[in-house]
Amino acid sequence: MRYRLLAALPLAALMVVAGALPAQAVPDVTNPFATLAAGSEPSHILVNGSGDIFTLNTGNESISKIHPDGTFDASFHAEFPSFSQPNSFVSNGRGSLYVSSYLASTVWRVDEATGDVDSGFEANLGTELAGELPESVTVDLFGNIFVATHSPEAVVKIAPTGDVVGRYPLAVGSGPVDLTTDSFGSVYTANAADDSISRLEFDGAGAVTLSERYAELGSGSMPISLATDGPGLLYTANSGNNTVSTVDLSKPAGSAAAVTTLMPTDSYPYDVTADGQGNVFVTNLGTASVSMFEPDGRFTSVVAQLSSSETPEAAAVSQAGQLYTANALSSTVSRFGLAPVITSGALPSSARVGDVYSATASATGLDRIVYGIVGLTPPGLAIDATTGVLSGTPTTTGTFTFDIAVSNAAGQAFETVTLTVDPALGSTGCWFWHEACGL
């Protein structure tokens, strides 16, 4: 586990260690990564811990499962009744998907391995949501399921067994369309009709404190998607005024003022998602692109660009730093390799005291690439953080093993180098004897 220490270092720390600015790089793009059946119209996408990709297909009311190599899982079958309009899904991280259905007014529990619907969960839930028109579903760290309903406007809490254990009315006319949870178990709703964020806080006994207007987003914002970044910020995509809002979740209700970012003209921000590094990604239907907010506040307007015929309705990021988009209009999935991948191959493994050594490491990935070293290089050699050039004049003989580390906002990659430094030409290898002594 020699990488653990470096993996804990932020990007800025690597830059200080290396002593230079980051390099330029571009993501590795696979488009299309997968082509779904005609008319699938994938509207949501997620990636589980094994790297499998799932798309919720509103066009043919089904779920597709795609392996990390781009092949479909032929043994997975998840199909829902006609005219049920499945409109949201989430993974509980334990092998199950939860799917909300707007017109069937229910939630299904689906096995991630087979696609089978859990009949026990379905039986326990029964008709509890009948006529309530679920808009979105999410899961907290404890496995509880939360559903935002349209009629009445409320949040419904469901136990992993399928039993409804709580109903929490929201303001009439609020129009909740999406919801998410944070690491403390609080639940947030994006209220498109009254331009606000609601928060439900649960104590250890399960009692709830509801802040109906936890954060105000401004008239005409129309938030339609939201996600938390992990460290304590919430992001919303506001389709009404072409903005993204950021809310500090450490603030109490009423003082959680939103910081608003105006997106590029005609972006039409639509879906918000976060990765494990604290980065937040926003799909833009108007410009067929994906934008990125980093934890340090840096905003990149385009980290993934698609064609106007693809319409990225949703995005998800794997633990390996692969960004996937669900493209409804083309019924495809695209993949963008944001995390660094070293592409230079093995570096020259031999050098000589007194001779100049130079070799270049290169990588694909999201821009702001930083190169560094884990371990000890031969004395006299150093790596340039900007270019990835390992160079210098070795001064000491021996065999040295170290790792070249490549880092960016989306992740890290490592390559082990073993470099043998031979004595200078004409040297005996021993400072105390005029003949060779075994070196």
Side-chain angles (χ1 to χ4, degrees), residues 300-325:
T300 303
S301 60
V302 178
V303 295
Q305 182 65 61
L306 297 97
S307 72
S308 58
S309 64
E310 290 171 309
T311 59
E313 287 203 4
V317 184
S318 72
Q319 294 178 358
Q322 302 283 345
L323 170 70
Y324 297 90
T325 62

Side-chain angles (χ1 to χ4, degrees), residues 22-418:
Q24 299 290 318
V26 294
D28 177 40
V29 179
T30 306
N31 189 23
F33 171 72
T35 300
L36 284 64
S40 295
E41 298 177 12
S43 60
H44 293 74
I45 190 169
L46 60 83
V47 186
N48 67 11
S50 300
D52 290 320
I53 304 102
F54 297 86
T55 63
L56 180 62
N57 310 316
T58 54
N60 59 13
E61 296 171 314
S62 68
I63 296 176
S64 298
K65 180 179 180 181
I66 309 166
H67 294 306
D69 63 0
T71 60
F72 287 88
D73 189 330
S75 64
F76 181 89
H77 298 280
E79 300 177 351
F80 307 109
S82 298
F83 306 109
S84 57
Q85 195 175 328
N87 60 349
S88 176
F89 73 159
V90 67
S91 172
N92 67 354
R94 302 175 180 87
S96 294
L97 303 171
Y98 293 95
V99 184
S100 64
S101 167
Y102 186 78
L103 293 182
S105 285
T106 193
V107 172
W108 293 295
R109 178 172 177 160
V110 177
D111 188 290
E112 288 186 8
T114 65
D116 294 336
V117 174
D118 187 331
S119 58
F121 181 91
E122 188 175 22
N124 286 343
L125 181 60
T127 58
E128 286 282 353
L129 299 178
E132 297 187 17
L133 306 176
E135 291 276 6
S136 184
V137 62
T138 194
V139 178
D140 68 12
L141 294 176
F142 310 103
N144 298 301
I145 304 101
F146 294 88
V147 183
T149 61
H150 177 75
S151 180
E153 291 155 310
V155 172
V156 180
K157 182 179 181 180
I158 304 171
T161 58
D163 300 291
V164 172
V165 294
R167 292 178 180 273
Y168 313 102
L170 300 176
V172 175
S174 57
V177 294
D178 195 19
L179 79 171
T180 191
T181 63
D182 63 18
S183 57
F184 300 102
S186 295
V187 177
Y188 302 85
T189 65
N191 306 320
D194 70 1
D195 306 313
S196 71
I197 303 296
S198 297
R199 180 167 78 173
L200 292 83
E201 295 179 273
F202 296 87
D203 63 19
V208 64
T209 300
L210 170 62
S211 302
E212 289 185 336
R213 302 187 69 83
Y214 173 71
E216 307 277 355
L217 301 184
S219 178
S221 297
M222 196 181 296
I224 57 173
S225 178
L226 76 174
T228 56
D229 68 349
L233 297 177
L234 181 142
Y235 290 77
T236 69
N238 307 318
S239 63
N241 59 5
N242 197 46
T243 64
V244 171
S245 294
T246 309
V247 179
D248 185 347
L249 299 182
S250 67
K251 302 293 185 181
S255 64
V259 176
T260 299
T261 299
L262 181 63
M263 302 294 282
T265 303
D266 298 325
S267 290
Y268 191 71
Y270 193 75
D271 181 59
V272 185
T273 191
D275 67 7
Q277 310 289 329
N279 301 302
V280 173
F281 301 86
V282 183
T283 66
N284 306 302
L285 292 189
T287 55
S289 64
V290 181
S291 302
M292 176 179 172
F293 292 83
E294 295 179 35
D296 62 3
R298 185 173 189 256
F299 171 66
T300 303
S301 60
V302 178
V303 295
Q305 182 65 61
L306 297 97
S307 72
S308 58
S309 64
E310 290 171 309
T311 59
E313 287 203 4
V317 184
S318 72
Q319 294 178 358
Q322 302 283 345
L323 170 70
Y324 297 90
T325 62
N327 310 319
L329 192 59
S330 60
S331 290
T332 61
V333 173
S334 301
R335 182 178 70 182
F336 299 83
L338 302 184
V341 175
I342 297 175
T343 58
S344 49
L347 301 186
S349 59
S350 62
R352 188 177 297 277
V353 170
D355 290 352
V356 173
Y357 175 93
S358 181
T360 302
S362 59
T364 60
L366 187 67
D367 188 22
R368 285 208 300 171
I369 288 280
V370 180
Y371 295 88
I373 295 293
V374 179
L376 297 176
T377 60
L381 297 188
I383 195 166
D384 187 296
T386 301
T387 64
V389 174
L390 176 65
S391 64
T393 303
T395 61
T396 305
T397 61
T399 298
F400 302 83
T401 299
F402 53 93
D403 295 307
I404 292 179
V406 186
S407 179
N408 68 5
Q412 295 175 329
F414 302 86
E415 180 177 293
T416 299
V417 176
T418 299

